Amino acid sequence: MRKVIKKRKVTSGMAYLKQFRKEKKLSQQEMAEILSISVSHYSKLEGGFVFPSFHLIKKIKEKFHDFNTNNLFKRDKFIYSKKPPHGD
């Protein structure tokens, strides 16, 4: 029987962005407006689907002086699990 390896992403860097926003008691929409980006793009940032450009990181730091940009560069971890294919 052939094993299927599944990879699941556990974000660390972008989780800081979400945590920071919640500490500031801002919604995703409010944060997106402050940064002059779409809510959709901001949501993708928090979800770890896209990474912020240098320009956007700079803008975050300009708007929020207490934001630690180093936390954005924490490496993501991947968890691998072996599961049998469907139907077995």
Side-chain angles (χ1 to χ4, degrees):
M1 174 187 344
R2 188 173 153 239
K3 300 272 183 182
V4 175
I5 298 177
K6 296 202 174 210
K7 180 169 75 167
R8 183 170 55 99
K9 182 175 168 186
V10 179
T11 359
S12 51
M14 292 302 111
Y16 172 69
L17 185 61
K18 183 176 183 176
Q19 174 190 341
F20 183 84
R21 174 183 60 80
K22 287 186 172 198
E23 286 174 4
K24 296 292 182 186
K25 297 182 177 11
L26 296 170
S27 67
Q28 285 187 341
Q29 182 171 347
E30 291 168 324
M31 192 70 152
E33 288 173 5
I34 290 167
L35 300 174
S36 302
I37 60 174
S38 71
V39 178
S40 173
H41 185 68
Y42 184 81
S43 177
K44 289 175 186 175
L45 287 167
E46 276 193 6
F49 296 104
V50 296
F51 198 77
S53 66
F54 174 77
H55 175 74
L56 184 56
I57 293 170
K58 186 177 172 187
K59 188 182 282 191
I60 294 169
K61 188 65 178 175
E62 288 171 355
K63 301 286 183 180
F64 302 98
H65 299 286
D66 56 337
F67 187 82
N68 185 344
T69 55
N70 290 332
N71 286 337
L72 292 177
F73 297 96
K74 289 183 178 177
R75 297 180 76 191
D76 291 343
K77 297 176 185 174
F78 291 93
I79 298 173
Y80 295 91
S81 61
K82 293 182 179 179
K83 297 200 175 198
H86 296 304
D88 288 338

